[in-house]
Amino acid sequence: MTALEKATGDVVFKFEPFVLHVLCQELQDAQMLHSVAVDSGFRNSGITVGRGGKITMAVRSTHCLEVPLSHKGKLMVSEEYIEFLVHVANQKMEENI
């Protein structure tokens, strides 16, 4: 709270879930892993193929959280709400694990 009260710009509370990158030998391997990831609830997962043919499968969850706290130095939320956000982010971290 002390840091927020001293802020002069915009402050955002942000939680980002884990991302697991898997290098795959074959596109079929990446497609199978992608299907398993999506079926397991990791809907933001995807496959990328680099210029050199490197196939990477990224397993991503949807457990992100991004909330503005202050704007131009003005605190926009209460301390109670910030405590709530920390609790929600900690729950999301447990889900990551």
Side-chain angles (χ1 to χ4, degrees):
M1 289 306 298
T2 303
L4 280 174
E5 291 165 1
K6 293 178 183 178
T8 57
D10 295 351
V11 176
V12 176
F13 183 94
K14 189 170 185 178
F15 172 84
E16 292 186 3
F18 88 100
V19 178
L20 173 67
H21 290 101
V22 180
L23 189 60
C24 300
Q25 287 185 335
E26 303 289 332
L27 183 57
Q28 297 87 331
D29 299 330
Q31 290 170 328
M32 182 173 26
L33 180 56
H34 182 262
S35 294
V36 170
V38 170
D39 290 345
S40 298
F42 297 100
R43 296 182 307 237
N44 287 347
S45 299
I47 300 170
T48 32
V49 180
R51 289 184 201 161
K54 184 169 82 170
I55 303 165
T56 304
M57 167 47 199
V59 179
R60 297 183 186 101
S61 79
T62 57
H63 294 113
C64 57
L65 177 67
E66 187 170 348
V67 181
L69 301 179
S70 71
H71 179 65
K72 296 182 181 177
K74 181 182 178 196
L75 188 60
M76 305 300 287
V77 297
S78 68
E79 184 173 352
E80 179 182 8
Y81 187 68
I82 293 170
E83 290 173 3
F84 170 73
L85 289 176
V86 169
H87 176 74
V88 170
N90 284 337
Q91 285 180 321
K92 290 178 180 290
M93 182 62 83
E94 288 296 321
E95 291 174 22
N96 268 340
I97 294 169

